[in-house]
Every structure is written in structure tokens, then in C-alpha cells.
Amino acid sequence: MKTKRIIKDLIFVLAGNGLLALSVALFILPHDILSGGVAGIAVALHPLLHLDTTLIINAMVLGMFVLGCLFLGRSFALKTVISSVVYPMMLTVFTSLVPQLQLNELLAALYGGLLAGAGIGLVMRTGASTGGMDIPPLILHRYTGIKVSTLVMVTDALTVLLGLFVYGLEAVLVGFVSVWATSLGIDKILTFGLGSAKAVQIISDQALQINDRIHTELDRGTTLLQARGGYTQTERTVILVVLEKKEYPKLLELVHEIDSNAFMITSEAADVRGEGFSPHARV
């Protein structure tokens, strides 16, 4: 089982880096999109340094990997070494092979961001990192405690703004589209296959009868919580049940049939794991 998981993770890391490199070679670099990450920095610095953008990206990826090793330790190095080696190689190959598409910059930013986000998401599903500009937020998170997602957003925004004085405001606004699309792509890949569900709390005088019907008709497990009314001080039983969205209307019908005055609290549960909810799912 462990060997199968390692092989699966390796495939995800390779595929993810391939999609990221393809996005940069096909959309980001040819259209000078000020995206987040090392590709965006390379685009912003190219007019100033007059160096090949692929060379700048490869140098920064390797440099960031060394920085991560120094500050984040051996565990980080083992998880990220494949990306730090494979991504520069794939990017070098793709930039020499892919066709030059004649696209509107906005379309290039949108589709380039989505493709990059899908690639990064695949790598993140394995618990690894794509390296590059993921590393400074991880280092800052360790020493400041600020959420990684917040630091990534700030880093990407600063990366896009780096090109303001060279490319102008319009290019920066297009770059923000790419950053948004990348974030969307990452989110969709990380949540794909997990199944969105609803967590429902039911308070009723007929709690035991509702509980039995949930077991027999919905085939869902429940948790019974003992609570006390804040005003009446009456002891109540609260039913907690998690079910798929498609089962929710049936639950409403069932509860209303037994107790039309039942009090229900429903919330979204985007990631549910355990019996009945894809027990082997992993992000």
C-alpha cells in the first residue's frame, strides 16, 4: 500500500510540474504576463536584466530551494527536491517545443493561471511543494505564525506590482487576473473528489425517533449530544449528522414529518473523511 502511495504521489508531482511548466511556456512567458511566482518575477525583471526569462526562472527555483533547505530543514528538502529539479528541466524543454499562440493577453492570463493552478494543486495534494516562490511564505509562516495562504497572496501581489513601472498599470491588472485564476485552479484541484457535504444539528422533542429514521432511511450515522436550553434550562438531545447534499432534502422531509417545529442548524462541510465519505481521500 505504501509503495502504491509513493508511486501515485510521484505521478502527481511529475504531472503537476509538467502542467505548471506548460502554463509558463505556453501562456505566461510569450505574452509577458505578470503572474505570481518566479515566472512573474522573471517577466518583470527581463527588461531590466536583459537575461533570458527561462534562465532567470531556473536560477530562482534552485536558489529558493537552497534557501528552503537552510530555513525549513531536511524534511522540506526531501519533499521539494523533485520539483526543484524537474520543473526547470521541463520548462527548458517546453519553451523550445511549444507553439507560439497569438492570444489576447487577458485570455493568456486566465488560461495560464488556471493551468498553473491545476499543476500546483496536483503537487500540493501529495503534501509537497512546487518550490520557487512558495518558499518565502513558508519561511515567514514559521517565524511569524501568519497564515501561509495570506503570505502567498501578499507575495503574489508584490510580484505582480514589481512590473508596474516597466509594463504599466494595464499589465498589472491583467496580472491580477492570472493570480486569481491560479488561486481558483489550486482550490478546485485540492477539493476535487472530496465531495461537498452538509453538517446538520437537529434539536427536537422527538430526537430519538428522528435519530432512528436517519439510521434506517438515510443509512447515516449520528452523534447524540446532551444540551440544556439557555432560557428554559430544559435538558435536550441534539442530533449531529453529516450527509451528502443530495440527501439533504430527504432529511428535511423526514424531520418535518416527525416534528414540524424541530430546530435545525445546517452548515457546509467541504472536507469530510471517514466511513461513508471517501475514507482514502487525501490532499
Side-chain angles (χ1 to χ4, degrees), residues 6-70:
I6 291 174
I7 294 174
K8 179 184 175 182
D9 285 353
L10 180 60
I11 292 173
F12 272 39
V13 169
L14 293 176
N17 278 281
L19 290 177
L20 180 59
L22 183 61
S23 165
V24 172
L26 197 59
F27 296 106
I28 305 301
L29 296 185
H31 298 89
D32 292 330
I33 304 298
L34 295 171
S35 64
V38 292
I41 293 178
V43 170
L45 293 180
H46 174 66
L48 302 176
L49 301 179
H50 303 292
L51 294 175
D52 180 65
T53 48
T54 303
L55 178 62
I56 297 174
I57 291 172
N58 292 347
M60 288 193 65
V61 167
L62 295 177
M64 288 296 169
F65 175 71
V66 173
L67 190 67
C69 291
L70 293 175

Side-chain angles (χ1 to χ4, degrees), residues 134-191:
D134 292 351
I135 295 173
L138 291 173
I139 294 175
L140 290 173
H141 169 71
R142 169 169 288 191
Y143 293 101
T144 65
I146 300 174
K147 288 199 310 182
V148 175
S149 58
T150 301
L151 292 169
V152 168
M153 186 180 300
V154 172
T155 302
D156 283 347
L158 292 175
T159 299
V160 172
L161 288 173
L162 186 63
L164 177 62
F165 299 105
V166 178
Y167 291 95
L169 180 60
E170 184 175 329
V172 170
L173 296 178
V174 170
F176 283 138
V177 171
S178 176
V179 170
W180 170 81
T182 299
S183 175
L184 179 64
I186 293 172
D187 180 66
K188 293 301 181 182
I189 291 296
L190 289 181
T191 58

Side-chain angles (χ1 to χ4, degrees), residues 87-142:
Y87 173 68
M89 293 173 58
M90 287 184 168
L91 181 60
T92 301
V93 172
F94 285 154
T95 49
S96 62
L97 294 180
V98 297
Q100 297 294 308
L101 302 179
Q102 300 300 316
L103 293 177
N104 176 276
E105 286 186 354
L106 197 58
L107 288 176
L110 178 61
Y111 286 99
L114 289 172
L115 191 60
I120 295 170
L122 282 176
V123 176
M124 286 185 171
R125 280 188 76 115
T126 70
S129 165
T130 57
M133 292 307 293
D134 292 351
I135 295 173
L138 291 173
I139 294 175
L140 290 173
H141 169 71
R142 169 169 288 191

Side-chain angles (χ1 to χ4, degrees), residues 244-257:
E244 294 181 1
K245 283 187 175 181
K246 64 184 181 181
E247 298 171 316
Y248 185 64
K250 178 64 176 177
L251 176 68
L252 293 177
E253 180 184 336
L254 181 154
V255 172
H256 183 74
E257 181 182 324

